[in-house]
Amino acid sequence: MQIIEVVILLLTFLVLLSLRVPIAYSIGLAAMTTLLVSIPSIPAFTTLAQRIATGLDSFTLLAIPFFILAGQLMNQGGIASRLIEFAKALVGPLPGGLAFVNIVACILFGAISGSAAAAASAIGGFMGPKMEEEGYDKAFGVAVNITSASTGLIIPPSNVLIVYSLASGGISIGALFLAGYIPGILVGLALMIAAAFMAHKKKYPVGARVNLSDGVKKFFSAIPSLLLLFIVIGGIVAGIFTATEASAIAVLYTLLLSMIVYKEVKVKDLPKILLETVGTTSIVMLLIGTSIGMSWVMSYESIPQNVSNLLLTISDSKIAILLIINVILLLVGIFMDITPAVLIFTPVFLPVVQKIGIDPIHFGIIMVLNLCIGLCTPPVGSLLFVGCGVAKIKIQKVIRPLLPLFLAMILILMLITYFPPLTMWLPKVFEF
């Protein structure tokens, strides 16, 4: 690896980002500029185009558009409102109850849809006005919504875990899905504790108690939505179908649920839903393609091997190396979206952690949780923009109430990092 290639790669990428060039183009142009330093232009253009096309030629990646479509159907099919009512019955009467409802609803919706942005939009659009009506500060409600929506990327089905499986060379998606449950739930609980302290300090109101019959009714209303989790994950764990096949089944199930059971999606709505799915899928796939291209360029320039050697010369302690990687990934998450970050940095850091005896499944959850925190941070945090956009509030006003919630997420990150059984227990139980 020549220092000049690393400097060109980083400098080109950062300059393009600072000029507000879309991140997919920034990644692709940075990779191409770096490659042009090493080989002539025609082979450089041909090779990078070939790597992008080859990287997207994957059966595993078919799961992503299907899960995106399932998320779109859920977003418009009345599933969010039923999950919110169910969450109200569960945690509404607690101190700061509506904040708890927001968190639980985001966890459930994010887990079912596999989309953090969909959870932030659907739950935030419904819960934001409700929390304001009850006397909650608007910025507090938005901060809770943004951070809790990120749990949908840890709790399966998760598109990001599918991307990590691809970047890591084919780690079992089923094992990654199982490994995400306990960390995702712990993040949700930590956010609830932080929100409870903030609600107590601000003296926010306690939600009204729900009588037993009403609670049972709301539970049964939400059962069809909750069943999707058992169908998708249960089918993968039992070996009935693959993650890609599970994504297609998720689309079929949510279509039937939205159109026949809840009757909130009509045939005339389908073209719009499909177009939105195609638009989102196109953005995601372009990001994946250019990120795979950059990952290959980095490998060609021997960057991962040199980073591995550098980290191992700094220390051979698991604690120190994992701390360094966590800090780097937290910084990366501030400036880069989660999908390209996973594709680019998995080949860089995975060889390092494997040399010190860290399981790739455990590291996958560490990486995704790190980058989920980045989704909530300025200047590139996509969830921050979605949450603030839905609530129509300036980002600056949300930063202060976000800080205690960030602290809660980082504490869970440290716990997950240094206590592997929290991620590895379920995969071992189901022999993945």
Side-chain angles (χ1 to χ4, degrees):
M1 175 185 70
Q2 301 295 324
I3 296 297
I4 186 66
E5 277 89 355
V6 178
V7 172
I8 289 171
L9 183 71
L10 292 174
L11 193 61
T12 306
F13 179 65
L14 292 174
V15 168
L16 290 170
L17 275 185
S18 67
L19 294 173
R20 298 183 181 273
V21 176
I23 190 165
Y25 298 118
S26 299
I27 290 169
L29 290 169
M32 178 53 66
T33 305
T34 307
L35 198 57
L36 285 170
V37 174
S38 302
I39 60 177
S41 58
I42 298 300
F45 283 109
T46 305
T47 301
L48 191 61
Q50 183 186 46
R51 292 293 169 178
I52 291 172
T54 304
L56 291 174
D57 185 15
S58 167
F59 179 74
T60 302
L61 285 180
L62 280 175
I64 292 178
F66 281 123
F67 277 130
I68 290 172
L69 177 54
Q72 292 284 358
L73 288 166
M74 291 174 200
N75 205 9
Q76 299 184 39
I79 292 171
S81 60
R82 286 165 176 82
L83 291 176
I84 289 170
E85 290 302 316
F86 174 54
K88 273 187 186 178
L90 278 179
V91 295
L94 298 173
L98 285 187
F100 285 11
V101 172
N102 200 325
I103 292 167
V104 172
C106 275
I107 289 171
L108 292 173
F109 189 86
I112 292 170
S113 68
S115 170
S121 176
I123 306 301
F126 190 91
M127 286 301 301
K130 293 285 184 186
M131 292 181 75
E132 281 190 80
E133 285 174 17
E134 294 291 329
Y136 288 78
D137 181 63
K138 189 175 190 177
F140 170 74
V142 174
V144 168
N145 177 250
I146 289 167
T147 49
S148 55
S150 67
T151 57
L153 298 177
I154 309 167
I155 300 174
S158 165
N159 287 339
V160 178
L161 291 176
I162 294 170
V163 170
Y164 174 79
S165 172
L166 176 73
S168 62
I171 299 296
S172 167
I173 295 174
L176 287 167
F177 279 5
L178 287 170
Y181 272 112
I182 293 175
I185 292 168
L186 286 175
V187 171
L189 290 173
L191 291 174
M192 290 174 77
I193 292 169
F197 277 110
M198 295 165 75
H200 177 73
K201 185 178 178 181
K202 297 280 188 179
K203 294 182 171 56
Y204 289 135
V206 177
R209 290 191 175 276
V210 178
N211 62 60
L212 183 60
S213 61
D214 195 30
V216 170
K217 182 180 177 183
K218 288 176 179 178
F219 170 68
F220 278 104
S221 178
I223 278 180
S225 303
L226 297 171
L227 273 176
L228 181 62
L229 280 174
F230 295 97
I231 292 170
V232 171
I233 306 304
I236 294 172
V237 170
I240 299 170
F241 38 71
T242 65
T244 305
E245 292 162 347
S247 66
I249 289 167
V251 170
L252 179 61
Y253 184 82
T254 51
L255 186 65
L256 294 172
L257 197 62
S258 301
M259 295 186 71
I260 296 174
V261 179
Y262 294 152
K263 299 180 180 178
E264 296 202 19
V265 171
K266 311 297 181 187
V267 174
K268 65 179 181 180
D269 300 325
L270 292 179
K272 182 185 175 184
I273 291 171
L274 290 170
L275 281 172
E276 288 174 352
T277 300
V278 169
T280 305
T281 301
S282 301
I283 294 167
V284 172
M285 289 302 179
L286 182 60
L287 270 171
I288 290 173
T290 53
S291 300
I292 288 171
M294 178 180 274
S295 181
W296 181 85
V297 170
M298 291 172 69
S299 179
Y300 179 77
E301 301 294 348
S302 302
I303 293 174
Q305 298 91 315
N306 283 273
V307 170
S308 176
N309 294 335
L310 177 62
L311 285 175
L312 292 171
T313 55
I314 293 172
S315 174
D316 58 359
S317 165
K318 285 185 183 181
I319 294 173
I321 290 176
L322 285 173
L323 182 61
I324 292 168
I325 291 174
N326 273 331
V327 171
I328 293 171
L329 288 174
L330 285 170
L331 293 172
V332 165
I334 292 173
F335 298 102
M336 188 179 288
D337 196 44
I338 190 166
T339 300
V342 168
L343 285 164
I344 291 167
F345 288 96
T346 296
V348 174
F349 292 127
L350 188 57
V352 180
V353 298
Q354 285 181 304
K355 283 183 181 178
I356 59 172
I358 303 298
D359 192 285
I361 296 169
H362 179 212
F363 180 67
I365 302 301
I366 294 172
M367 171 173 266
V368 171
L369 181 49
N370 259 296
L371 297 171
C372 281
I373 297 172
L375 287 177
C376 309
T377 56
V380 187
S382 57
L383 281 181
L384 187 64
F385 287 103
V386 170
C388 291
V390 169
K392 297 178 181 176
I393 186 174
K394 291 183 178 178
I395 290 173
Q396 297 91 319
K397 293 184 178 181
V398 181
I399 300 301
R400 188 171 180 180
L402 271 175
L403 295 178
L405 300 170
F406 279 150
L407 179 60
M409 294 179 80
I410 290 171
L411 287 174
I412 297 300
L413 171 62
M414 292 296 105
L415 182 62
I416 297 301
T417 300
Y418 296 114
F419 193 62
L422 291 173
T423 55
M424 298 307 299
W425 180 64
L426 281 177
K428 285 180 179 177
V429 167
F430 288 97
E431 299 180 352
F432 267 85

